[in-house]
């Protein structure tokens, strides 16, 4: 925000100088022009010569404003911090000799490939997986399926993670080690990821072979840890990072840029306030992934899907007696698997249920609480939650305390097209999945127009959306024994995309050379 204010101030200052210049020019012309002085005694000619310089000044001003508006990036883009990039060999035992920890200069360092040549960070190209044509094709669930498939294979072959070791008798073992039970509840994604990761083939015991280093503390479990609690999380994280930086060399050689942690509870947003190097440099895999917040950087950090785990497989909607195959014309059936689209059984246009804990939800309830087609509930439901999702065409994900809730995963599980009403939400797996192909995004300002927006979606487009929902829902499911392309593998892929960009502190000697 401060950058925007300074930019506005700079722009206004430029305009002020332009007008001052024009004013002085006019005064100079008025004082020095012999013609003006000569004709000033003739009332009939005075008006003519007075309007000539005024008109020229006005035209010049308009030309200057037009030139600024068409050439300045201020009117179209946000200012972005630029980073210098250079490469050093992967798995180098130590950074360049002049790397120091006492400065505040950060550089992006791509680690892939050999040293010596400048390359573009994979973080910078994460959102451009395919050609422009593929990227804009909203019928496909992947930005580029072929690239994703090849990268996925390479990730499985080569990606390695080192986890800082801890023992069962360590003082905070319950926070640092995986849980020995099947995770459940609203923040289960955090525990699921760590438990599955520790038993996966991605783990290496040799830190020299590691692409990334995992900080294994659990934010959700720290909240309930005796002697820590919500009040002590910041101090715990600060001391933990300090301890590993003293005991191991891996943190110091990159400033923590090849480290990551995972958190699903919203308190994780402030947990790093005393460990600013983690917030600025490490990869934050978090559920509260809002690019409106200063502590979250979408190309560096990654969005963790909030998923309420369910033991059973998702309902097979194809087994429903009432189907919509009759709604599919032959052309659409050529594109979609019509066996998976069952809309006759969906009587409600849209559904939402949840507590009213944000202005956005208050607005939703205010406009649609008593509507006959949009069912917006707060408090306890009188009918099963699953039945409401199964019986609705669209299921609303509405921002609460944070941009994230488990409602997107709930919608996908039950075959309901999610409608996302959460400004600035960096959606999970956006590097890979084309969210426009299976969801609807509505700005909070457009809540009064919600019914109009949903009703304008044609039957054919809805069938396409719901068919794609059936295709992507496997990416939003956890398994104790991971299944290809499930939530665990998708999070690993997001990390793999970010493995090659490092930001390390450089000493002033580098800058001087």
């Amino acid at each position: 925000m401060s950058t925007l204010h300074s930019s506005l101030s700079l722009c206004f200052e430029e305009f002020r100088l332009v007008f001052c210049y024009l004013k002085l020019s006019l005064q100079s012309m008025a004082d020095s022009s012999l013609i003006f002085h000569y004709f000033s005694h003739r009332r009939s000619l005075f008006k003519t010569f007075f309007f000539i310089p005024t008109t020229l000044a006005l035209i010049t001003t308009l030309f200057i404003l037009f030139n600024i508006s068409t050439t300045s990036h201020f009117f179209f883009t946000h200012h972005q911090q630029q980073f210098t990039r250079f490469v050093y060999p992967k798995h180098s035992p130590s950074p360049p000799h002049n790397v120091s920890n006492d400065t505040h200069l950060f550089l992006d360092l791509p680690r892939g490939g050999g040293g010596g040549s400048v390359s573009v960070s994979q973080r910078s190209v994460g959102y451009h997986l395919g050609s422009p044509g593929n990227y804009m094709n909203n019928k496909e669930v992947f930005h580029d399926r072929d690239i994703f498939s090849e990268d996925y294979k390479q990730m499985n072959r080569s990606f390695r993670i080192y986890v800082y070791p801890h023992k069962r008798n360590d003082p905070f073992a319950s926070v640092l080690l995986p849980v020995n039970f099947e995770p459940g509840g609203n923040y289960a994604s955090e525990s699921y990821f760590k438990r599955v990761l520790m038993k996966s083939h991605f783990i290496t015991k040799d830190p020299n072979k590691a692409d990334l280093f995992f900080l294994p503390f659990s934010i959700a479990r720290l909240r309930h840890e005796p002697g820590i609690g919500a009040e002590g999380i910041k101090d715990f994280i600060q001391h933990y990072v300090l301890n590993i930086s003293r005991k191991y060399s891996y943190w110091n050689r990159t400033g923590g840029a090849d480290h990551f942690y995972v958190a699903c509870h919203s308190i994780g947003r402030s947990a790093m306030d005393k460990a600013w190097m983690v917030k600025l440099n490490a990869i934050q895999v978090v559920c509260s992934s809002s690019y409106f917040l200063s502590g979250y950087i979408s190309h560096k950090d990654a969005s963790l899907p909030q998923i309420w785990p369910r033991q059973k497989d998702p309902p097979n909607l194809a087994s429903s007696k009432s189907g919509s195959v009759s709604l599919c014309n032959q052309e659409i059936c050529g594109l979609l698997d019509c066996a998976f689209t069952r809309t006759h059984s969906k009587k409600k246009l849209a559904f939402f249920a949840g507590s009213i804990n944000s202005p956005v939800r208050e607005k939703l309830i205010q406009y649609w609480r008593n509507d006959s087609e949009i069912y917006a509930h707060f408090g306890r439901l009188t009918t099963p939650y699953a039945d409401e999702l199964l019986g609705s065409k669209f299921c609303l994900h509405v921002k609460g305390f944070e941009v994230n809730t488990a409602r997107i995963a709930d919608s996908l599980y039950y075959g309901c097209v999610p409608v996302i009403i959460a400004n600035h939400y960096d959606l999970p797996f956006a590097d890979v999945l084309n969210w426009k192909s299976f969801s609807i995004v509505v700005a909070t300002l457009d809540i009064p127009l919600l019914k109009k927006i949903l009703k304008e979606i044609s039957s054919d487009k809805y069938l396409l959306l719901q068919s794609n929902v059936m295709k992507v829902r496997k990416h939003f499911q956890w398994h104790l024994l991971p299944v290809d392309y499930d939530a665990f593998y998708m999070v690993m892929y997001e990390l793999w995309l970010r493995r090659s960009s490092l930001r390390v502190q450089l000493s002033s000697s580098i800058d001087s050379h």
Side-chain angles (χ1 to χ4, degrees), residues 178-368:
V179 296
N180 55 6
F181 54 85
E182 186 160 4
N186 219 16
Y187 311 110
S189 292
E190 181 180 311
S191 297
Y192 253 109
F193 176 82
K194 182 161 67 173
R195 175 165 176 168
V196 176
L197 173 67
M198 296 301 291
K199 295 183 178 180
S200 72
H201 67 279
F202 296 107
I203 295 296
T204 178
K205 299 295 183 182
D206 184 356
N208 291 317
K209 295 181 179 180
D211 296 288
L212 294 177
F213 294 78
F214 180 40
L215 303 170
F217 49 74
S218 168
I219 299 294
R221 296 185 69 79
L222 277 170
R223 294 172 58 239
H224 306 291
E225 182 70 13
I228 300 179
E231 299 278 328
I233 292 180
K234 297 177 185 177
D235 291 324
F236 179 91
I237 301 299
Q238 181 187 34
H239 292 149
Y240 182 83
V241 174
L242 181 62
N243 288 336
I244 64 167
S245 66
R246 289 175 175 174
K247 187 175 181 180
Y248 304 95
S249 63
Y250 318 121
W251 176 275
N252 295 327
R253 72 183 184 184
T254 65
D258 55 355
H259 288 57
F260 74 95
Y261 75 93
V262 175
C264 199
H265 197 281
S266 58
I267 202 171
R269 179 153 55 91
S270 60
M272 307 301 148
D273 285 352
K274 292 185 178 181
W276 59 271
M277 288 286 284
V278 177
K279 182 182 292 187
L280 293 180
N281 273 4
I283 302 169
Q284 302 177 106
V285 185
V286 293
C287 289
S288 302
S289 52
S290 171
Y291 50 82
F292 180 76
L293 303 173
S294 60
Y296 180 85
I297 306 171
S298 58
H299 71 279
K300 174 181 76 70
D301 304 323
S303 177
L304 178 71
Q306 186 170 348
I307 301 170
W308 190 289
R310 293 173 171 83
Q311 305 300 325
K312 299 179 181 179
D313 290 332
N316 182 8
L317 302 185
S319 63
S320 173
K321 293 182 180 179
S322 56
S324 63
V325 175
S326 59
L327 296 179
C328 283
N329 59 45
Q330 188 172 0
E331 179 182 359
I332 295 298
C333 284
L335 298 173
L336 308 175
D337 184 357
C338 290
F340 286 104
T341 54
R342 300 289 183 259
T343 58
H344 283 326
S345 60
K346 295 183 178 293
K347 305 299 182 184
K348 300 181 179 67
L349 176 64
F351 167 75
F352 170 80
S355 58
I356 309 305
N357 55 7
S358 72
V360 181
R361 293 187 180 184
E362 288 178 1
K363 188 174 183 179
L364 179 79
I365 296 298
Q366 174 188 347
Y367 277 94
W368 302 112

Side-chain angles (χ1 to χ4, degrees), residues 384-453:
Y385 180 59
D387 290 351
E388 295 289 350
L389 296 174
L390 286 168
S392 303
K393 292 179 66 177
F394 298 97
C395 296
L396 308 182
H397 164 92
V398 186
K399 180 186 181 299
F401 286 120
E402 301 288 347
V403 293
N404 57 290
T405 73
R407 286 173 179 80
I408 290 180
D410 292 344
S411 302
L412 298 175
Y413 183 87
Y414 288 106
C416 185
V417 176
V419 177
I420 301 159
I421 310 176
N423 293 353
H424 314 298
Y425 189 10
D426 185 22
L427 293 163
F429 315 140
D431 292 324
V432 185
L433 298 180
N434 175 19
W435 279 82
K436 290 183 178 180
S437 70
F438 60 92
S439 69
I440 303 295
V441 177
V442 176
T444 56
L445 288 175
D446 290 335
I447 286 177
L449 304 174
L450 181 60
K451 183 187 285 190
K452 180 177 182 292
I453 292 171

Side-chain angles (χ1 to χ4, degrees), residues 163-170 172-173 176-177 216-217 240 244:
V163 183
Y164 286 104
H166 297 282
K167 298 179 181 178
R168 285 288 171 189
N169 58 356
D170 282 356
F172 299 102
L176 299 169
L177 296 177
F217 49 74
Y240 182 83
I244 64 167

